[in-house]
Amino acid sequence: MKKVLSGNEAFARAAYEAGVGVVSSYPGTPSTEITECASKYKEFYTEWATNEKVAMEVAIGASLGGKRAMTCMKHVGLNVASDPIMTLSYTGVNAGLVAIVADDPNMYSSQNEQDSRHYARFGKMPMLEPCDSAEAKRFTKEGFAISEEFCTPVLVRSCTRVSHTQTVVELEDRVEAPKFAPENDIQKWVMIPANARRKHKIVENRQEQITELAESDKYNPYVIRDKSIGVVCAGVAYNYVREALPEASTLKLDMVWPLPMKKILAFSKLVDKLYVVEELDPFFETEIKAAGIKVEKLERSLCGELSADAVCALFEGREYEPETDTSLPFRPPNMCPGCSHRGMFYAINRLKLFVTGDIGCYTLGLLPPLKAINTTVCMGASIGMAHGLDKAADGMSQKSVAVIGDSTFLHTGINSLVNTVYNRGHSTVVILDNTITGMTGHQPNAGSGCDIHGEPVPKIDYVNLCKSIGVNPDNIRIVDPFDITKCMEVLKEETSKKAPSVIITNKPCIFADRSVIEESYFIHEDKCSGCTICTRLGCPAILWDAEKRVAHIDETLCTGCHLCIKVCKFGAIEQRSK
């Protein structure tokens, strides 16, 4: 049966058909839907892990235990998981293990634009790269076979365009995966130096064997059309080349590492001019040139995405300007109406505190009018950076706070808080607990009280957790983020202390708990003084009528969070039901 699937749905389907036993992941756009879709198959176990390193370790444990295992993450998640997977390359696997990593060219929802192909070369692991949903399913299934044949983890690289676009996929039945007994092999699984030195030689030998596989006709096919131009490409870039240069000869690299250099050389001899078309870094181009094969120069940017039009422009030697649809209304990024983070950011802004921020929807607190984020580096960085500020600049702990979400705190922030306490820091940490992983589409986490299937599970108690780390109970405060006065009072008190302190907000994301939504508010025009204080909250539901010089509430957006009435000094705002 054929079905139209997104790339992410196809990756999940591959796990089902390949007889996978365990999938453990941390959400991150554009990879999130893989595990969400996988969780709908009852034939195997799925879970949200607390971070990508943990997810990778769970997958390793499942492989060791004899079950095929898969883990999925976005490109920056592979940085977090890189520690275990680099050594996994040495230990090898028991049952097959596939890690899917989704890159985000053009950074639609990411803090950097890294190219994950470097990890395959760095870790000496094979990497496959599909160009559509059908290949996403096929390559993932083949990844398990390669993993088991060569005793290696296999990386499958996706990108936003493959993960989120839909193509036709042929559905197949789930197969019984090969049987693997749990392994107890100390020389294989314990990477003390003596064992690791021996395994390094095995890894290098394995690399040569997989290179021979890459040279075979099964992978990396080339098609000779017009011999005047030959293009080496892979993944979504192959689609762009086929559309832009339909007559060009192509060598499509299904296995993007290790590279089949003999086949590339043979292809180069069949065409007059050899080109490489790839997104982001000149990964193929550098390797091919290093092998002594001539590659024609293309003036290509190393930033952002390609497209069929962009490839046309490359070969025509002209500047490429992507078309933009100006008919669409401008929609600036903003926190949602009723967001539980807004009140705390407003209080922070009023106190003019320096904020080390973190990755999450609350990063939007950096935008005007709140302007309450000064740094954002990576998941969990806020607390460590606040500690560094404290140690480097006298008095900064009294002028700054670290702001982090609940999921991000559990991801990697908790380690930094332990470090702050252990090293006698004075930082104040604000945990914006909205009980959900909001940024990636409201996946539950260890603080949500439910698992990936919505089943009840033990819920993290942040107060007791912080106490157990060593934070003085007197320095752990819970506040209602919609109570601005109280937020400011607590912020002043905690930042003044010469000790680590934690402030925890206690209101859920309106999408995680719709019961918090109340009747909307409206503004009496005759009472509004035009002071604009309510508009400084940055709530999308509060508008400004420039002609009348009064504020106005869009009641179709208002969630009745009460925040605006906390700042209006003229009693101009009332709830509709009152």
Side-chain angles (χ1 to χ4, degrees):
M1 182 178 73
K2 292 183 178 179
K3 193 172 182 180
V4 176
L5 298 179
S6 70
N8 282 349
E9 290 172 322
F11 286 124
R13 179 72 189 185
Y16 167 78
E17 293 181 5
V20 162
V22 173
V23 176
S24 180
S25 309
Y26 185 80
T29 305
S31 70
T32 307
E33 297 85 359
I34 304 173
T35 306
E36 287 185 330
C37 295
S39 72
K40 296 173 184 174
Y41 294 102
K42 305 305 178 188
E43 290 81 1
F44 56 94
Y45 174 79
T46 53
E47 68 173 24
W48 288 125
T50 47
N51 66 32
E52 295 85 353
K53 177 178 182 290
V54 174
M56 183 68 73
E57 291 159 351
V58 171
I60 295 171
S63 169
L64 174 68
K67 297 285 188 182
R68 284 185 167 180
M70 191 166 89
T71 180
C72 316
M73 60 202 69
K74 67 183 297 178
H75 60 293
V76 288
L78 189 55
N79 300 336
V80 181
S82 63
D83 201 4
I85 200 171
M86 286 297 168
T87 302
L88 177 65
S89 178
Y90 276 41
T91 64
V93 302
N94 183 25
L97 190 154
V98 170
I100 298 173
V101 55
D103 285 4
D104 185 19
N106 207 40
M107 296 174 281
Y108 291 103
S109 57
S110 306
Q111 64 269 40
N112 70 37
E113 201 174 28
Q114 71 189 45
D115 190 328
S116 294
R117 292 177 294 177
H118 295 291
Y119 270 106
R121 178 172 53 192
F122 186 23
K124 303 179 190 298
M125 296 170 282
M127 172 179 270
L128 304 170
E129 183 171 351
C131 72
D132 60 20
S133 300
E135 287 193 349
K137 184 170 82 72
R138 181 164 69 88
F139 287 10
T140 303
K141 293 172 69 174
E142 290 180 5
F144 286 105
I146 294 170
S147 176
E148 288 160 0
E149 180 179 354
F150 294 94
C151 192
T152 178
V154 172
L155 296 169
V156 177
R157 183 194 188 215
S158 184
C159 66
T160 303
R161 298 300 174 185
V162 171
S163 284
H164 288 169
T165 53
Q166 296 181 320
T167 59
V168 175
V169 177
E170 180 77 42
L171 302 188
E172 299 168 271
D173 294 333
R174 178 174 167 89
V175 300
E176 188 72 23
K179 300 288 186 185
F180 293 88
E183 280 195 334
N184 184 8
D185 183 342
I186 291 173
Q187 288 194 332
K188 176 179 178 181
W189 287 99
V190 180
M191 283 302 97
I192 57 174
N195 290 338
R197 290 187 196 105
R198 183 179 59 83
K199 292 304 292 279
H200 188 182
K201 296 175 183 174
I202 293 173
V203 168
E204 298 299 339
N205 182 53
R206 182 185 72 198
Q207 183 88 338
E208 293 178 7
Q209 294 175 30
I210 298 175
T211 301
E212 289 303 311
L213 177 68
E215 297 281 3
S216 69
D217 292 335
K218 184 176 182 180
Y219 293 101
N220 308 321
Y222 62 71
V223 177
I224 300 300
R225 302 182 186 90
D226 181 348
K227 292 187 176 180
S228 62
I229 292 178
V231 183
V232 178
C233 48
V236 72
Y238 169 77
N239 299 336
Y240 300 145
V241 169
R242 289 292 297 125
E243 184 175 342
L245 307 167
E247 301 304 320
S249 300
T250 52
L251 170 51
K252 178 176 180 293
L253 297 174
D254 295 344
M255 183 176 284
V256 297
W257 189 260
L259 290 175
M261 211 54 76
K262 293 177 185 174
K263 182 172 283 188
I264 294 172
L265 177 62
F267 178 69
S268 72
K269 292 180 177 178
L270 294 173
V271 296
D272 296 337
K273 293 184 177 180
L274 183 71
Y275 293 88
V276 174
V277 174
E278 55 190 327
E279 285 184 329
L280 302 181
D281 294 339
F283 184 82
F284 299 148
E285 186 174 342
T286 302
E287 292 290 334
I288 294 170
K289 285 180 175 176
I293 301 172
K294 183 182 179 183
V295 176
E296 302 295 329
K297 187 172 180 60
L298 289 174
E299 294 296 338
R300 179 179 68 85
S301 170
L302 305 186
C303 307
E305 292 183 294
L306 287 174
S307 66
D309 289 342
V311 172
C312 281
L314 277 177
F315 280 84
E316 292 169 3
R318 59 180 169 83
E319 291 287 326
Y320 172 69
E321 286 294 333
E323 292 184 6
T324 55
D325 188 350
T326 55
S327 65
L328 294 174
F330 179 62
R331 183 173 178 268
N334 199 347
M335 288 185 289
C336 304
C339 176
S340 59
H341 305 328
R342 182 170 283 104
M344 178 57 76
F345 279 130
Y346 184 82
I348 289 171
N349 175 282
R350 290 283 305 276
L351 296 174
K352 305 300 180 192
L353 294 172
F354 186 92
V355 177
T356 51
D358 226 296
I359 306 293
C361 51
Y362 46 89
T363 309
L364 295 168
L366 77 95
L367 298 169
L370 295 171
K371 295 192 290 187
I373 295 282
N374 296 90
T375 71
T376 301
V377 175
C378 67
M379 294 281 282
S382 60
I383 301 175
M385 290 180 67
H387 179 63
L389 271 176
D390 173 27
K391 294 297 182 183
D394 289 341
M396 276 303 290
S397 65
Q398 282 75 52
K399 301 174 183 175
S400 63
V401 291
V403 172
I404 191 167
D406 51 328
S407 183
T408 315
F409 177 70
L410 297 172
H411 180 278
T412 37
I414 188 170
N415 303 323
S416 299
L417 183 57
V418 170
N419 182 66
T420 298
V421 174
Y422 171 63
N423 289 296
R424 297 181 293 275
H426 301 153
S427 307
T428 297
V429 176
V430 179
I431 302 175
L432 298 171
D433 178 17
N434 63 1
T435 73
I436 204 79
T437 310
M439 60 183 168
T440 46
H442 310 105
Q443 291 74 34
N445 59 53
S448 300
C450 61
D451 66 8
I452 193 171
H453 303 291
E455 298 295 325
V457 294
K459 184 177 180 179
I460 291 289
D461 183 327
Y462 292 102
V463 172
N464 282 330
L465 179 63
C466 292
K467 286 181 185 174
S468 70
I469 289 171
V471 180
N472 187 324
D474 293 337
N475 299 341
I476 303 172
R477 310 285 292 276
I478 297 177
V479 297
D480 177 351
F482 295 115
D483 187 340
I484 294 172
T485 303
K486 188 66 177 179
C487 285
M488 292 176 65
E489 175 188 319
V490 171
L491 284 166
K492 287 179 182 175
E493 290 174 2
E494 296 307 321
T495 53
S496 68
K497 294 176 179 176
K498 286 283 188 181
S501 58
V502 178
I503 301 170
I504 306 165
T505 63
N506 64 353
K507 295 296 181 186
C509 169
I510 58 168
F511 293 105
D513 183 357
R514 305 290 286 182
S515 68
V516 300
I517 298 177
E518 297 186 10
E519 285 289 330
S520 61
Y521 283 81
F522 68 100
I523 295 178
H524 288 284
E525 288 189 5
D526 56 337
K527 293 183 180 178
C528 180
S529 68
C531 69
T532 72
I533 286 181
C534 60
T535 66
R536 295 174 207 169
L537 290 169
C539 177
I542 302 177
L543 309 172
W544 175 249
D545 189 327
E547 185 175 334
K548 294 181 179 178
R549 305 291 302 169
V550 294
H552 167 73
I553 290 179
D554 182 344
E555 294 186 52
T556 63
L557 295 177
C558 179
T559 63
C561 74
H562 313 284
L563 195 58
C564 53
I565 63 170
K566 305 286 177 59
V567 298
C568 180
K569 298 177 181 177
F570 303 95
I573 303 176
E574 289 188 21
Q575 199 163 17
R576 182 57 70 184
S577 60
K578 298 293 177 63

